[in-house]
Amino acid sequence: MPRNAESTAFRSALEVIRGVEPRVADAIGAELADQRESLKLIASENYASPATLLAMGNWFSDKYAEGTVGRRFYAGCQNVDTVEALAAEHARELFGAAHAYVQPHSGIDANLVAFWAILADRVESPALKKAQARHVNDLTEADWFALRRELGDQRMLGMSLDAGGHLTHGFRPNISGKMFDQRSYGTDPDTGLVDYDRVAEAAREFRPLVLVAGYSAYPRKINFRIMREIADSVGATFMVDMAHFAGLVAGKVFTGDFDPVPHAHIVTSTTHKSLRGPRGGLVLCGPELADQVDRGCPMVLGGPLPHVMAAKAVALAEARRPDFADYARQIVDNARALAEGLLRRGAKLVTGGTDNHLVLIDVTGYGLTGRQAEQALLDSGIVTNRNAVPQDPNGAWYTSGIRIGTPALTTRGLGTAEMDTTAELIHAVLSQTSAGVGPDGTASKAKYVLDPALADKISRQASELLTGFPLYPDVELG
Ligand code: DSN
C-alpha cells in the first residue's frame, strides 16, 4: 500500500461519517489523538494494524450468518464462509490446533462456548445416550429435569482472582459462577508463584469437572504440562484461557510446557490483546470437542460478526509473519526491562519480576492504594489500571496493585531503553504521591496528594518519550 493510502482511507471514512453525525467523526479523531499522546501501559490493550481496522468497516456488518461454514441458517453466506474459513485456517496454522472457532465476540463469549462444549460433551451427551435419545427435545420431562439439575451441579477449579485469575473462571459476579460450583487455587504466599502441589491437592479434594488455567494479572509463565497431568489425575477437562498471552504463544515465546495448545483439551482467547487483532475471541480444540464448540452460535452467542471475522483473518495472517515473532520477543524483553527498572528504583513487584508481558506493582510499598496510584499516574500522562494483589488488604475496588503491560508500547516501537525511562517516570510519580485524608480527617483509600507541577513535568516527559515513536505514522487526518 502506498504511504498515503492509509491516510486516504481513514480520511475518506471520516468525511462520510461527518456528513451524517459530525460529533461521531470528531470523537473518532479525538480518540486517535488521545491514543497518540498517552503512554499506554494497560496490559490488555494494543494497537491493531490499519488493515485490521479497515477490514471491520464494511458491508459484512450487514450479513446474518448463524451456523458455521457451509452450514448456515441463512442463504447468501458464501462470502462470510470465505472469511470465517480463512480466519479459522490462520488460527489453526498459527497455533498448531486441530480445530478453531472464530465466532466469539469477546473473551467471555469464548469461555462460555468452551464451558457449554465441555458440559455438552461430559454431561449432556452421556445423559442422552443413557436415555437412548438423539436430541434434548426427545427427552421425557423427567429426564430433562434431571439433566438440567446435573448440568447445574458441576464443579470448576480455577486461579483465584487476587492471584491474577479472571472473573469468568467461575466467580459469583459472573455467569460462570452461577453455572458452576467453583473453588480456586491461589499462589504461594512467599513467592507469589503457582504451587502445583497445592493445585493437585485442591483438585484431589474438590474433583472438578473442569480445571482452568489462565490469568489476567499473573506475571509469570504457567507449566501447562503439569496442569494437564493434574487434570488427568482427577478426570477433569483441562481448559486454558490464553487471552492475555496469546501473542506470546503465537510468536513462539511460550513453547513446550508453556504452550497451552498441545496440553489443553480446549483453549480460549481474545484476539485484541497481545495478539493485536480486532476486539473478539476464539476457541481452539481437538476433534473430540469440535462439534460441540461449533454449536457456540446460537447456543450462547448471538449472530456472528462477519466484519470482525474478516479482521480476525487479517490480524491472524499478520501474526503468521516472521516479524510477529520478533514483536512477541520484544514484548517480553520490554516487560523485563520495565520490571528491572522498577526494582532497581525500589518498587515492590508481585513475584519479584515477570516472564511475560505484564508487571504487577504492589503499591503498598509506596504507602498507596491501587486507586490512588492509578489516578496519580493518569494525572501524569501514564495510563495503567489498578489491580488486586495476592491477599489484597484493600479489596477488589481500591486494590493494592498497579498492573502494567508492554504489548501496546512495543507495537509503537519502544524498546528496553525507553522502558527504563518509563520505570523512572512511574517511580517518580508513585514515590512523590502520598495518601490523602477524607473529610473526617481519617486516611482515605481514594484521595491522594501529588504536586500538579510534578504531574505536568512527568506528562511532558512521557510525551517526549513518545515523540520518536509515532502511532499510525502513515495516518494523517489533516
Ligand atoms: N478486561 C481484560 C483485562 O483487562 O485483563 C480481561 O477481561
Side-chain angles (χ1 to χ4, degrees):
M1 185 152 44
R3 275 181 73 79
N4 65 0
E6 290 170 9
S7 282
T8 308
F10 285 104
R11 270 171 145 159
S12 306
L14 284 187
E15 203 179 309
V16 173
I17 296 165
R18 190 173 304 284
V20 180
E21 176 44 290
R23 289 170 296 184
V24 170
D26 288 347
I28 294 171
E31 182 59 28
L32 177 60
D34 287 353
Q35 294 208 15
R36 279 177 163 161
E37 276 162 27
S38 60
L39 198 64
K40 177 152 100 168
L41 284 161
I42 294 188
S44 48
E45 292 185 7
N46 211 328
Y47 305 107
S49 71
T52 298
L53 296 175
L54 289 168
M56 278 185 279
N58 56 67
W59 24 94
F60 264 137
S61 168
D62 299 332
K63 190 76 193 98
Y64 252 123
E66 284 168 27
T68 47
V69 177
R71 200 169 171 279
R72 305 284 184 186
F73 292 89
Y74 295 83
C77 293
Q78 60 280 4
N79 301 310
V80 179
D81 279 0
T82 300
V83 293
E84 182 169 351
L86 270 171
E89 181 190 323
H90 284 311
R92 285 194 307 272
E93 293 293 326
L94 179 64
F95 293 111
H99 185 71
Y101 182 66
V102 295
Q103 290 189 13
H105 311 327
S106 66
I108 177 172
D109 286 4
N111 286 347
L112 278 175
V113 170
F115 296 153
W116 279 107
I118 296 167
L119 287 169
D121 180 60
R122 300 282 310 270
V123 180
E124 187 176 280
S125 294
L128 288 176
K129 205 164 165 193
K130 189 166 154 213
Q132 296 183 328
R134 289 191 56 217
H135 193 272
V136 282
N137 288 346
D138 302 332
L139 292 174
T140 63
E141 283 301 309
D143 283 345
W144 176 232
F145 183 76
L147 173 57
R148 286 179 54 224
R149 288 192 66 146
E150 209 188 336
L151 285 167
D153 194 25
Q154 300 302 323
R155 296 175 187 169
M156 172 177 290
L157 181 63
M159 189 181 233
S160 69
L161 274 183
D162 70 356
H166 195 256
L167 203 64
T168 59
H169 299 172
F171 293 93
R172 289 182 189 182
N174 179 257
I175 183 73
S176 56
K178 302 174 209 300
M179 287 164 61
F180 287 95
D181 179 12
Q182 196 260 21
R183 269 205 212 151
S184 47
Y185 53 87
T187 43
D188 183 289
D190 296 325
T191 62
L193 301 175
V194 170
D195 178 337
Y196 297 99
D197 290 338
R198 288 204 192 161
V199 179
E201 195 181 310
R204 272 195 304 276
E205 274 173 20
F206 190 51
R207 314 292 301 183
L209 179 83
V210 190
L211 174 65
V212 185
Y215 50 78
S216 57
Y218 180 68
R220 296 290 179 179
K221 296 199 271 199
I222 289 186
N223 187 315
F224 299 115
R225 179 184 54 75
I226 298 178
M227 293 296 278
R228 171 63 185 261
E229 283 167 11
I230 295 171
D232 285 348
S233 73
V234 295
T237 299
F238 180 39
M239 169 175 155
V240 175
D241 177 345
M242 65 170 183
H244 260 262
F245 53 89
L248 307 186
V249 179
K252 310 289 179 254
V253 176
F254 284 3
T255 55
D257 292 353
F258 305 100
D259 175 352
V261 181
H263 301 292
H265 294 101
I266 189 160
V267 176
T268 60
S269 186
T270 52
T271 46
H272 49 274
K273 298 189 175 90
S274 53
L275 198 51
R276 207 166 57 179
R279 299 197 71 85
L282 58 80
V283 181
L284 307 172
C285 63
E288 322 75 43
L289 285 171
D291 286 347
Q292 300 295 0
V293 163
D294 281 351
R295 294 197 174 103
C297 169
M299 177 66 79
V300 295
L301 299 177
L305 308 174
H307 54 307
V308 181
M309 292 196 288
K312 286 175 186 173
V314 171
L316 289 162
E318 288 171 346
R320 290 183 67 192
R321 293 180 180 166
D323 62 351
F324 193 86
D326 299 336
Y327 166 64
R329 269 195 303 276
Q330 191 64 47
I331 290 177
V332 177
D333 287 350
N334 279 353
R336 280 207 189 105
L338 193 50
E340 281 160 17
L342 286 162
L343 286 170
R344 221 174 29 252
R345 291 169 174 91
K348 192 169 147 196
L349 304 185
V350 173
T351 79
T354 181
D355 295 328
N356 56 24
H357 63 299
L358 71 88
V359 175
L360 190 56
I361 310 174
D362 181 343
V363 293
T364 59
Y366 291 103
L368 300 171
T369 64
R371 171 93 186 260
Q372 292 161 333
E374 178 191 82
Q375 287 302 312
L377 288 167
L378 188 64
D379 291 348
S380 313
I382 303 173
V383 187
T384 63
N385 71 287
R386 64 188 186 279
N387 207 99
V389 301
Q391 296 95 43
D392 200 308
N394 288 317
W397 178 249
Y398 293 106
T399 81
S400 301
I402 285 291
R403 185 185 70 163
I404 51 183
T406 53
L409 290 185
T410 306
T411 294
R412 282 186 85 143
L414 281 78
T416 52
E418 290 77 29
M419 291 302 116
D420 194 56
T421 309
T422 303
E424 170 67 34
L425 299 181
I426 292 172
H427 176 72
V429 174
L430 297 182
S431 58
Q432 292 177 74
T433 301
S434 49
V437 288
D440 57 356
T442 58
S444 165
K445 290 188 177 189
K447 292 189 184 305
Y448 58 97
V449 181
L450 168 66
D451 178 359
L454 177 76
D456 282 351
K457 183 176 147 208
I458 302 282
S459 286
R460 278 196 305 279
Q461 289 175 333
S463 289
E464 277 161 25
L465 184 64
L466 292 172
T467 8
F469 305 93
L471 179 62
Y472 301 113
D474 295 338
V475 178
E476 277 292 332
L477 294 186

